[in-house]
């Protein structure tokens, strides 16, 4: 602030601060801030925080370390399809995974229909976006802060409010024929998995069969595979073997005098060995050439 020559008049010095920046906004922690607008004419903006996914302990091929982008603060109105469309402007998106909280990748089990899944939690989520090229991660991290990503467009309408509730209510009805197809498909997959498990147990039982002398053949699995737990058949054979050994021991020491004689023979053998060791030590001492005394 400075005063001009006319008394009582003041002028403000021009501000040198820029109100908008075409550079990416990076905050502590290595996160890049991306602006998000629901519509192009919306005044309010939402913030996404992205960074490259680097978790060395995770060895899943579903999240390659050089092509995966970790995203925080994804709003509830952004589905996986919407997130894929938003980030496709940086590079071709291979897959999108939205979760309630960060964590390691869980191997997918049998795929269930939406009719048999528990209701999803409504709230902000975290995402893992896998690009086909590593340049997609770099482009997303260098996106300008003052260029917001628009969610709802004419080509990609996103329903909210009453329209979204009406759509969810309409989709909640189940058609009997469609439900029957889903159940039949699930049961076919279940029968197939059950047959595969029985075949695996049969092969494992064949590999662990005992030979005539009681030896068990143990085969080494593929490199990197975890050890599988013993099958029920293998546990049963091990239990039978222990029972046979216990029975032989009981028959051997059935009478008390047999047990006492066994102990006496063992003590006599130990004493004999002790006397032999004493004689051997005395002979070694006598044969020593170096005599300091």
């Amino acid at each position: 602030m400075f005063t001009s020559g006319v008394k009582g008049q003041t002028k403000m010095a021009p501000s040198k601060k820029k109100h908008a920046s075409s550079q990416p906004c990076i905050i502590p922690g290595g996160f890049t801030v991306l602006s998000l607008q629901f519509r192009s004419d919306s005044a309010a903006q939402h913030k996404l925080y992205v960074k490259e996914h680097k978790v060395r302990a995770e060895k899943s091929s579903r999240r390659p370390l050089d092509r995966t982008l970790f995203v925080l603060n994804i709003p509830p109105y952004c589905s996986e399809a919407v997130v894929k469309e938003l980030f496709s402007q940086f590079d071709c998106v291979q897959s999108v995974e939205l979760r309630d909280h960060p964590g390691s990748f869980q191997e997918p089990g049998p795929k269930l229909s939406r009719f048999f899944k528990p209701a999803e939690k409504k709230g902000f989520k975290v995402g893992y976006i896998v690009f086909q090229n590593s340049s997609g991660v770099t482009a997303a991290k260098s996106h300008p802060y003052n260029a917001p990503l628009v969610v709802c467009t004419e080509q990609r309408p996103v329903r909210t409010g009453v329209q979204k509730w009406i759509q969810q209510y309409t989709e909640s009805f189940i058609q009997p024929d469609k439900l029957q197809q889903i159940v039949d498909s699930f049961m076919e997959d279940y029968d197939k998995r059950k047959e595969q498990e029985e075949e695996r147990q049969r092969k494992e039982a064949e590999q662990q069969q005992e030979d005539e002398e009681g030896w068990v053949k143990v085969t080494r699995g593929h490199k990197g595979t975890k050890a599988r737990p013993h099958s029920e058949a293998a546990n049963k054979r091990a239990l039978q073997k222990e029972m046979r050994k216990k029975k032989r021991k009981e028959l051997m020491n059935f009478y008390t005098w047999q047990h006492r004689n066994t102990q006496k023979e063992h003590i006599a053998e130990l004493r004999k060995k002790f006397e032999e060791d004493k004689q051997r030590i005395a002979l070694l001492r006598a044969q020593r050439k170096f005599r300091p005394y």
Side-chain angles (χ1 to χ4, degrees):
M1 181 183 297
F2 63 92
T3 305
S4 63
V6 182
K7 186 177 180 180
Q9 294 183 355
T10 60
K11 293 183 179 180
M12 298 297 295
S15 176
K16 297 181 181 180
K17 183 179 180 181
K18 295 182 180 180
H19 298 282
S21 174
S22 61
Q23 299 295 327
C25 178
I26 301 176
I27 61 175
F31 286 93
T32 302
V33 183
L34 300 181
S35 300
L36 188 71
Q37 284 185 348
F38 187 76
R39 291 189 178 88
S40 58
D41 57 348
S42 300
Q45 290 187 354
H46 184 78
K47 306 301 179 185
L48 299 178
Y49 306 95
V50 303
K51 70 181 299 186
E52 185 177 356
H53 177 61
K54 292 183 178 180
V55 180
R56 298 298 177 184
E58 185 177 324
K59 298 181 180 180
S60 172
S61 59
R62 298 290 297 271
R63 296 176 186 171
L65 299 179
D66 57 339
R67 295 187 288 112
T68 305
L69 188 71
F70 179 55
V71 187
L72 289 176
N73 205 30
I74 299 177
Y77 51 80
C78 287
S79 61
E80 291 186 357
V82 173
V83 173
K84 185 175 182 179
E85 288 289 334
L86 286 175
F87 286 86
S88 294
Q89 59 180 303
F90 303 118
D91 193 13
C92 185
V93 177
Q94 180 176 335
S95 64
V96 175
E97 179 188 357
L98 299 184
R99 301 189 63 178
D100 296 330
H101 51 80
S104 60
F105 179 77
Q106 299 177 353
E107 294 296 332
K111 189 175 181 181
L112 299 177
S113 173
R114 62 183 180 87
F115 303 117
F116 303 104
K117 290 181 180 179
E120 295 184 357
K121 296 180 181 179
K122 303 298 181 181
F124 293 87
K125 297 182 178 296
V126 300
Y128 298 89
I129 303 173
V130 180
F131 294 95
Q132 289 189 356
N133 303 305
S134 57
S135 58
V137 177
T138 305
K141 291 169 58 179
S142 60
H143 187 69
Y145 176 75
N146 60 346
L149 307 177
V150 181
V151 176
C152 182
T153 61
E154 294 181 359
Q155 295 80 12
R156 185 182 61 251
V158 178
R159 296 183 180 182
T160 57
V162 178
Q163 295 181 353
K164 184 177 181 181
W165 296 339
I166 294 174
Q167 181 183 5
Q168 291 177 351
Y169 176 75
T170 305
E171 293 177 351
S172 63
F173 291 98
I174 304 175
Q175 300 296 331
D177 54 347
K178 187 176 181 180
L179 180 61
Q180 186 64 42
Q181 293 178 0
I182 295 173
V183 173
D184 294 340
S185 176
F186 177 82
M187 292 306 300
E188 289 178 1
D189 295 339
Y190 174 78
D191 294 337
K192 187 182 297 184
R193 292 195 306 270
K194 190 174 181 181
E195 291 177 358
Q196 293 176 354
E197 180 65 20
E198 291 177 353
E199 182 68 17
R200 184 188 66 80
Q201 291 182 0
R202 185 183 64 80
K203 290 182 179 179
E204 183 179 350
E206 291 178 355
Q207 293 176 354
Q208 295 184 355
Q209 284 181 354
E210 296 183 2
D211 57 10
E212 296 179 355
E213 297 181 358
W215 293 94
V216 179
K217 182 180 179 182
V218 181
T219 57
R220 183 177 182 181
H222 297 286
K223 186 177 180 180
T225 57
K226 295 182 178 179
R228 293 176 297 184
H230 292 289
S231 63
E232 185 177 355
N235 292 335
K236 188 176 180 180
R237 288 194 301 271
L239 182 60
Q240 292 176 354
K241 189 175 180 180
E242 291 295 329
M243 292 295 293
R244 289 196 299 267
K245 293 171 69 174
K246 185 177 180 180
K247 189 175 181 180
R248 287 196 300 267
K249 187 175 181 180
E250 290 177 352
L251 291 175
M252 184 180 299
N253 298 324
F254 180 76
Y255 295 104
T256 306
W257 63 271
Q258 288 181 338
H259 184 63
R260 290 177 180 175
N261 288 340
T262 304
Q263 287 183 341
K264 290 180 180 180
E265 292 176 358
H266 182 64
I267 294 174
E269 186 68 23
L270 291 177
R271 288 177 177 174
K272 181 180 179 182
K273 187 177 179 181
F274 177 71
E275 294 296 333
E276 291 177 354
D277 292 340
K278 284 175 62 177
Q279 294 177 4
R280 187 180 301 107
I281 293 173
L283 182 60
L284 291 175
R285 287 179 177 176
Q287 292 177 350
R288 281 192 312 186
K289 296 181 180 180
F290 177 71
R291 298 178 182 276
Y293 53 89

